[in-house]
Amino acid sequence: NKSLGVVMCDLNGLKEINDNQGHDAGDRFILGAADTLKSVFGDEQVYRIGGDEFIAVLTDIAKKDFEEKHNLACIRLGTTASIGVVYKDKMDTDFDSVLKIADAEMYKQKNDYYISTGKNRRK
């Protein structure tokens, strides 16, 4: 019966950074994003789930507090990341369903980023 907030994050432009500046720069980009997410959501709530993908899982958090953290993450990351979020006042569904919603929102934002910047979508 606890609340749940999920933030899915996929970095934008990692391949371009790796190709143009080298993999050390790409690694610094990933580490910087991880540090930003951990500073907003807490060390114990942020997980790397792929090369440039992260998830933050917050339980028993008020919607207002979750929204403030989400907004802060968006401000700090800017266009360097696409973010999808889901907030549930009470977990009335399975966790995988929540992840699918956040993932779909994140990829919609990522697609919008590539359309707005005119860049090719390369992962």
Side-chain angles (χ1 to χ4, degrees):
N1 291 328
K2 290 184 178 185
S3 63
L4 175 72
V6 174
V7 178
M8 299 282 293
C9 175
D10 188 281
L11 301 182
N12 296 324
L14 177 62
K15 181 169 179 14
E16 186 176 52
I17 291 170
N18 283 337
D19 289 350
N20 296 328
Q21 300 173 38
H23 288 274
D24 286 343
D27 291 347
R28 287 190 300 275
F29 180 58
I30 292 168
L31 289 170
D35 288 343
T36 298
L37 291 168
K38 290 189 302 182
S39 74
V40 172
F41 298 108
D43 287 350
E44 301 296 319
Q45 286 72 36
V46 176
Y47 306 90
R48 185 176 179 193
I49 58 173
D52 63 349
E53 291 184 67
F54 296 88
I55 185 172
V57 180
L58 294 92
T59 58
D60 202 22
I61 184 169
K63 185 173 186 175
K64 181 179 182 247
D65 294 338
F66 178 74
E67 288 172 346
E68 287 174 0
K69 288 179 181 291
H70 166 239
N71 290 334
L72 182 59
C74 289
I75 290 167
R76 288 188 181 173
L77 291 169
T79 61
T80 65
S82 296
I83 297 175
V85 298
V86 175
Y87 180 83
K88 302 289 273 177
D89 285 321
K90 183 168 49 168
M91 268 306 282
D92 54 1
T93 187
D94 63 286
F95 189 69
D96 285 340
S97 296
V98 173
L99 290 181
K100 286 179 186 175
I101 295 167
D103 193 58
E105 184 180 324
M106 177 188 70
Y107 276 103
K108 181 191 178 310
Q109 193 177 92
K110 190 165 195 76
N111 191 54
D112 291 348
Y113 164 81
Y114 281 105
I115 289 170
S116 71
T117 60
K119 296 180 180 181
N120 291 330
R121 176 145 189 203
R122 298 181 301 163
K123 191 126 183 187

